[in-house]
C-alpha cells in the first residue's frame, strides 16, 4: 500500500513542478521608468521613507516623496542629475567604474535631521534638494562613480567637468608666503573645513588650477594613473612648474611629498577624524589647544610622517629575525589617539592589540606601543614576559632613528626628550635632590648616582643630538638598584626593563630576545642559561663597569 501511495504522488509532484515553471518570474522594473517605493534601512540609512525610484543605464535614483515633490517633479530632478552624470562620463569614460545610487532627500538618511552637505559613502551619494546644482553634488558623483579616494584628483576632475575658472592672482598671493607651500603636500585633511577653516578653499582652488595646468599641457594620462587604482601622479617638478606659471618664485621641496597619497580621511564614531593608510588606522580625538601635539594639520602631518617612517624601520629590523613570520606585521595597526586626556602616555591591551595613545605620549610611545601590537598574540602572564616585552619595546623605540621618537613641543615645535631635560637639570642643580623629590625617597642620593654613572660612561651634557637614551636607562637602573637594592615595588621599572633587554641584545642577539618573547618558557633553551643567572650577570655588568 505504501508503494502505491508513493507512485500516485509522483505525477502530482511533476504537475506541480510544471505549473510552477510556467509562472511568470518577478522582474525588476524596466529602465527609465519612475515608480513609488520605500527606502529601507541599510548600512547607511537609519530610517525608512517613501521615494520615487528610477534606474537608468548610468545610475539608480531615489527622490524622497514629500510636499511639492510628485512623480513629475521627481522625474525632472532625475533627468537633470542624469545629464550631469552623462557629462562626467563624456569627460572621460574611464572614470565610470561603478553605477552610483543617488538619493535626494530633505533629511539626512543617517540621522533623520536636515543637513547641508552632500556626501558619498561607497557608491551612494546623498544630497538635499537645495544642493542639486552645487559643486559638491558633482564632486560626490565623481567619487561614487570612480571610487577615487584622493581629494586632489576629485577636485581637479570636478573643476574641469564644471569648467570652473580659478583666480590665479589669489593663489599667487597665497603661495608667495613660503609658509603656505605645505598645502601642496596633497594631505587630505587640508580639504576639511572643520579642521582647516577658510584655508580649505585654497587647497580646493589649488587642486583645480594645478590639475588643469598639467592636463592642458601634458594630457590626462600625465596626471592620472589607473593602475592599481585611479590616483594622481604629480611630481615636485610639476608643482614647481605650476608655481612658476602663476608667478611664484618660492620652491616647493617638502619631505612629505607623495607620502600620503592613498590615505583616506573620514569620521568614525565618537572620533573627530579617522585616517586610514595601507598599514594603519588612526582614530583621533583632537583638541584646539596649543598645548596639544595634534592641534594643527601641520602637526598631524608630522606625526603621521614619524609613524610611517618609524613603523617601516621597525618592520625592517624585525624582518631579519627567523621568527618574523610569527609576528603580526601584516595586520592593520589600529591607533586610538585621545588628546583630551592630559595624563598617561600609551598602552596596548594585549587581548586586542589596539594602540592607545594620550596627549604627551603620542610621539614618544607610538613605536613602543606598536611593538606591543605586533606581539599582542603572544601574551604570557609571567613576570619574565613583562620584563622581556616591555624591555623589547623600550629597546626598539630608543634605538630607532631618534627623529621618530622625540617629543615635539607643540608651542615651540622644538624636539626634546624628558630624559635629556632631566640629565641637564641634574647637572645644572648639582644633583640636589629636587628633581626627583616627589618621586623617590633618598632622591639626592639617587640623582647623584644617576648623574655620576651617566657622565663616567661617556654621557654628554649638551645638545639633544649628543644625548644617549640607552645609557640613560643603564644609569637610571644603576641608581635605582643601588638606592633600593631588592625592594623595587614602588619604583619605575621601565629603565630596568630597557637596560636588561639591551644587555641581552648586545650580549646575545635581538633574535634571542624575539624568540623568548614568542615563548618565554623556552628562555633557558634559547639563551643557554636561566633568566636568574643572566639577570645577575646584567647587574654585575652595571656595577663592575
Amino acid at each position: 500500500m505504501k508503494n502505491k501511495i508513493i507512485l500516485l504522488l509522483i505525477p502530482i509532484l511533476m504537475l506541480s513542478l510544471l505549473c510552477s515553471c510556467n509562472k511568470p518570474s518577478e522582474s525588476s522594473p524596466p529602465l527609465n521608468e519612475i515608480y513609488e517605493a520605500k527606502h529601507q534601512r541599510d548600512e547607511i540609512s537609519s530610517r525608512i521613507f517613501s521615494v520615487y525610484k528610477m534606474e537608468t543605464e548610468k545610475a539608480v535614483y531615489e527622490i524622497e516623496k514629500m510636499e511639492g515633490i510628485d512623480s513629475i517633479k521627481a522625474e525632472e530632478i532625475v533627468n537633470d542629475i542624469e545629464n550631469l552624470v552623462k557629462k562626467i562620463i563624456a569627460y572621460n569614460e574611464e572614470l565610470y567604474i561603478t553605477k552610483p545610487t543617488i538619493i535626494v532627500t530633505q533629511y539626512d538618511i543617517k540621522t533623520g535631521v536636515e543637513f547641508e552637505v552632500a556626501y558619498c559613502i561607497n557608491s551612494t551619494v546623498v544630497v538635499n534638494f537645495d544642493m542639486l546644482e552645487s559643486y559638491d553634488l558633482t564632486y560626490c558623483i565623481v567619487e561614487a562613480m570612480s571610487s577615487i579616494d584622493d581629494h586632489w584628483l576629485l577636485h581637479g576632475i570636478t573643476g574641469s567637468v564644471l569648467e570652473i575658472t580659478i583666480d590665479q592672482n589669489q593663489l599667487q598671493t597665497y603661495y608667495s608666503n613660503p609658509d603656505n607651500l605645505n598645502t601642496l603636500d596633497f594631505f587630505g585633511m587640508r580639504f576639511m573645513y572643520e579642521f582647516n577653516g577658510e584655508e580649505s578653499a585654497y587647497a580646493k582652488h589649488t587642486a583645480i588650477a594645478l590639475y588643469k595646468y598639467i592636463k592642458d599641457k601634458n594630457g590626462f594620462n600625465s596626471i592620472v594613473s589607473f593602475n592599481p587604482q585611479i590616483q594622481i601622479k604629480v611630481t615636485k617638478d610639476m608643482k614647481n612648474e605650476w608655481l612658476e606659471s602663476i608667478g611664484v618664485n618660492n620652491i616647493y621641496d617638502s619631505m612629505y611629498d607623495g607620502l600620503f597619497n592613498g590615505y583616506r580621511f573620514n569620521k568614525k564614531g565618537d572620533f573627530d577624524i579617522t585616517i586610514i593608510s595601507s598599514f594603519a588606522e588612526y582614530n583621533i580625538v583632537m583638541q584646539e589647544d596649543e598645548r596639544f601635539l595634534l592641534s594643527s594639520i601641520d602637526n598631524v602631518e608630522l606625526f603621521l610622517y614619524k609613524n610611517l617612517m618609524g613603523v617601516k624601520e621597525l618592520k625592517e629590523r624585525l624582518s631579519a629575525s627567523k621568527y618574523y613570520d610569527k609576528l603580526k606585521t601584516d595586520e592593520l595597526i589600529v591607533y586610538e589617539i585621545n588628546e583630551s586626556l592630559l595624563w598617561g602616555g600609551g598602552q596596548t591591551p594585549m587581548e586586542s592589540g589596539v594602540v592607545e595613545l594620550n596627549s604627551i605620549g603620542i610621539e614618544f610611545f607610538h613605536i613602543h606601543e606598536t611593538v606591543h601590537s605586533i606581539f599582542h598574540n603572544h601574551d604570557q602572564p609571567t613576570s619574565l614576559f613583562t620584563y622581556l616585552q616591555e624591555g623589547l619595546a623600550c629597546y626598539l623605540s630608543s634605538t630607532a632613528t631618534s627623529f621618530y621618537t622625540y617629543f615635539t613641543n607643540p608651542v615651540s615645535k622644538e624636539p626634546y626628550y624628558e630624559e635629556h631635560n632631566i640629565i641637564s637639570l641634574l647637572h645644572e642643580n648639582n644633583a640636589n635632590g629636587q628633581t626627583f623629590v616627589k618621586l623617590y625617597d633618598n632622591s639626592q642620593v639617587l640623582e647623584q648616582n644617576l648623574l655620576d654613572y651617566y657622565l663616567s660612561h661617556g654621557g654628554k651634557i649638551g645638545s639633544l643630538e649628543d644625548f644617549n637614551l640607552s645609557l640613560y636607562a643603564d644609569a637610571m637602573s644603576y641608581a635605582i638598584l643601588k638606592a633600593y637594592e631588592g625592594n623595587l615595588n614602588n619604583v619605575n621599572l621601565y629603565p630596568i626593563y630597557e637596560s636588561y633587554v639591551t644587555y641581552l641584545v648586545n650580549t646575545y642577539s635581538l633574535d634571542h630576545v624575539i624568540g623568548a618573547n614568542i615563548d618565554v618558557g623556552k628562555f633557558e633553551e634559547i639563551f643557554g642559561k636561566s633568566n636568574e643567572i643572566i639577570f645577575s650577570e646584567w647587574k654585575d655588568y652595571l656595577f663592575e663597569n
Side-chain angles (χ1 to χ4, degrees):
M1 183 66 183
K2 183 177 180 181
N3 291 337
K4 287 184 179 179
I5 293 174
I6 292 174
L7 289 172
L8 287 171
L9 285 173
I10 289 175
I12 296 172
L13 289 171
M14 291 181 67
L15 284 172
S16 176
L17 288 171
L18 287 170
C19 291
S20 66
C21 290
N22 291 328
K23 288 182 180 179
S25 59
E26 292 186 9
S27 59
S28 58
L31 293 179
N32 303 311
E33 286 193 13
I34 199 162
Y35 60 96
E36 294 186 28
K38 289 284 187 181
H39 178 87
Q40 302 295 328
R41 292 190 180 96
D42 53 28
E43 66 274 10
I44 301 176
S45 178
S46 62
R47 66 187 183 98
I48 300 173
F49 54 94
S50 299
V51 298
Y52 293 105
K53 191 168 185 177
M54 178 188 286
E55 181 173 358
T56 69
E57 291 182 358
K58 306 302 183 185
V60 176
Y61 299 91
E62 291 186 11
I63 315 299
E64 184 168 11
K65 184 180 180 182
M66 54 188 299
E67 184 178 353
I69 305 296
D70 56 16
S71 61
I72 296 174
K73 181 62 177 177
E75 191 165 3
E76 288 177 4
I77 293 172
V78 169
N79 290 335
D80 288 343
I81 302 177
E82 180 76 359
N83 289 334
L84 178 58
V85 171
K86 291 177 180 178
K87 186 175 182 179
I88 296 169
I89 296 172
Y91 174 75
N92 193 300
E93 291 186 2
E94 291 181 280
L95 296 174
Y96 186 67
I97 294 175
T98 303
K99 177 183 277 194
T101 296
I102 302 170
I103 302 173
V104 184
T105 174
Q106 188 63 36
Y107 302 103
D108 188 358
I109 66 173
K110 294 185 296 185
T111 63
V113 300
E114 292 187 2
F115 66 114
E116 298 178 354
V117 180
Y119 61 87
C120 171
I121 297 179
N122 298 325
S123 59
T124 298
V125 175
V126 183
V127 62
N128 66 24
F129 289 98
D130 296 330
M131 298 189 69
L132 292 176
E133 298 180 2
S134 68
Y135 173 96
D136 289 345
L137 175 58
T138 306
Y139 178 95
C140 290
I141 293 174
V142 173
E143 181 181 359
M145 288 169 48
S146 64
S147 300
I148 296 174
D149 290 322
D150 190 288
H151 296 279
W152 288 87
L153 189 52
L154 285 169
H155 281 294
I157 292 171
T158 302
S160 289
V161 168
L162 297 178
E163 299 177 348
I164 291 175
T165 301
I166 298 299
D167 187 339
Q168 304 285 10
N169 292 328
Q170 284 188 345
L171 290 176
Q172 180 190 32
T173 301
Y174 180 71
Y175 285 111
S176 292
N177 180 351
D179 291 340
N180 293 328
L181 289 173
N182 53 14
T183 300
L184 287 164
D185 292 339
F186 287 4
F187 187 63
M189 280 181 67
R190 298 191 187 279
F191 292 93
M192 299 181 180
Y193 182 84
E194 59 267 39
F195 298 113
N196 204 25
E198 294 180 0
E199 290 191 1
S200 62
Y202 285 104
K204 183 186 297 185
H205 294 170
T206 299
I208 296 170
L210 176 59
Y211 174 92
K212 186 177 187 305
Y213 174 81
I214 299 173
K215 181 183 71 67
D216 289 349
K217 182 175 181 180
N218 301 306
F220 182 79
N221 291 332
S222 69
I223 196 171
V224 179
S225 169
F226 289 91
N227 189 18
Q229 68 271 339
I230 300 177
Q231 59 187 355
I232 196 166
K233 50 175 186 178
V234 180
T235 65
K236 284 183 182 180
D237 288 343
M238 290 178 177
K239 295 175 185 178
N240 282 312
E241 183 181 328
W242 171 74
L243 287 172
E244 185 179 359
S245 75
I246 63 172
V248 175
N249 295 323
N250 294 322
I251 303 298
Y252 169 78
D253 189 27
S254 173
M255 65 181 178
Y256 303 139
D257 183 62
L259 284 181
F260 304 122
N261 289 349
Y263 279 50
R264 290 179 288 130
F265 304 81
N266 53 51
K267 291 191 174 184
K268 177 180 175 183
D270 295 329
F271 297 101
D272 291 318
I273 185 73
T274 292
I275 305 172
I276 302 174
S277 73
S278 61
F279 73 93
E281 176 181 308
Y282 309 87
N283 298 305
I284 304 173
V285 176
M286 301 177 70
Q287 294 291 325
E288 294 183 6
D289 193 310
E290 64 179 10
R291 295 174 300 168
F292 295 91
L293 174 69
L294 305 183
S295 58
S296 71
I297 290 180
D298 289 345
N299 283 1
V300 176
E301 194 172 40
L302 171 65
F303 168 71
L304 291 178
Y305 173 76
K306 286 188 171 189
N307 186 252
L308 170 67
M309 305 306 290
V311 171
K312 179 181 178 182
E313 179 184 317
L314 174 62
K315 290 182 178 181
E316 286 175 351
R317 295 175 72 185
L318 292 173
S319 67
S321 171
K322 63 184 178 184
Y323 302 102
Y324 186 68
D325 61 347
K326 296 183 179 180
L327 305 178
K328 296 291 186 180
T329 54
D330 294 330
E331 289 187 354
L332 193 74
I333 305 168
V334 178
Y335 296 92
E336 293 188 352
I337 302 173
N338 190 343
E339 284 214 302
S340 68
L341 301 176
L342 283 172
W343 53 269
Q347 63 178 359
T348 304
M350 297 301 270
E351 64 272 13
S352 67
V354 174
V355 176
E356 301 172 8
L357 301 171
N358 303 327
S359 56
I360 62 171
I362 289 173
E363 284 181 292
F364 191 68
F365 291 110
H366 71 113
I367 300 300
H368 178 111
E369 296 301 332
T370 299
V371 174
H372 290 320
S373 179
I374 289 173
F375 281 83
H376 79 88
N377 62 323
H378 297 293
D379 186 29
Q380 297 150 81
T382 67
S383 173
L384 176 55
F385 178 77
T386 300
Y387 268 75
L388 294 175
Q389 179 63 190
E390 294 295 350
L392 178 62
C394 288
Y395 168 79
L396 288 170
S397 177
S398 295
T399 57
T401 301
S402 56
F403 179 72
Y404 310 143
T405 52
Y406 283 155
F407 279 104
T408 301
N409 185 306
V411 179
S412 68
K413 311 299 183 187
E414 295 296 322
Y416 72 98
Y417 278 138
E418 189 64 34
E419 294 86 346
H420 173 256
N421 291 346
I422 289 172
I423 285 292
S424 300
L425 194 59
L426 293 183
H427 184 261
E428 181 181 335
N429 294 338
N430 296 314
N432 62 5
Q434 294 306 301
T435 302
F436 288 139
V437 68
K438 294 181 179 180
L439 299 175
Y440 296 101
D441 297 331
N442 303 322
S443 59
Q444 185 172 5
V445 174
L446 186 141
E447 288 180 15
Q448 191 64 60
N449 287 334
L450 168 58
L451 183 61
D452 288 346
Y453 190 100
Y454 183 80
L455 293 174
S456 65
H457 286 76
K460 297 179 180 179
I461 304 295
S463 68
L464 183 63
E465 289 73 18
D466 291 333
F467 179 68
N468 189 323
L469 198 57
S470 293
L471 178 57
Y472 178 90
D474 284 348
M476 192 65 181
S477 297
Y478 169 83
I480 290 172
L481 290 172
K482 192 165 185 178
Y484 298 100
E485 297 179 356
N487 184 18
L488 302 177
N489 293 329
N490 297 314
V491 299
N492 178 11
L493 291 175
Y494 277 84
I496 291 176
Y497 298 150
E498 180 176 347
S499 178
Y500 180 50
V501 166
T502 301
Y503 173 80
L504 292 177
V505 171
N506 292 338
T507 307
Y508 298 91
S509 74
L510 177 59
D511 218 34
H512 281 71
V513 177
I514 293 173
N517 265 282
I518 290 173
D519 189 349
V520 72
K522 293 184 178 180
F523 183 96
E524 188 168 349
E525 177 184 334
I526 292 170
F527 285 93
K529 297 178 184 178
S530 69
N531 172 58
E532 290 74 17
I533 292 174
I534 298 181
F535 195 81
S536 179
E537 291 174 351
W538 164 71
K539 288 195 292 185
D540 292 342
Y541 158 79
L542 287 181
F543 281 85
E544 294 175 6
N545 288 310

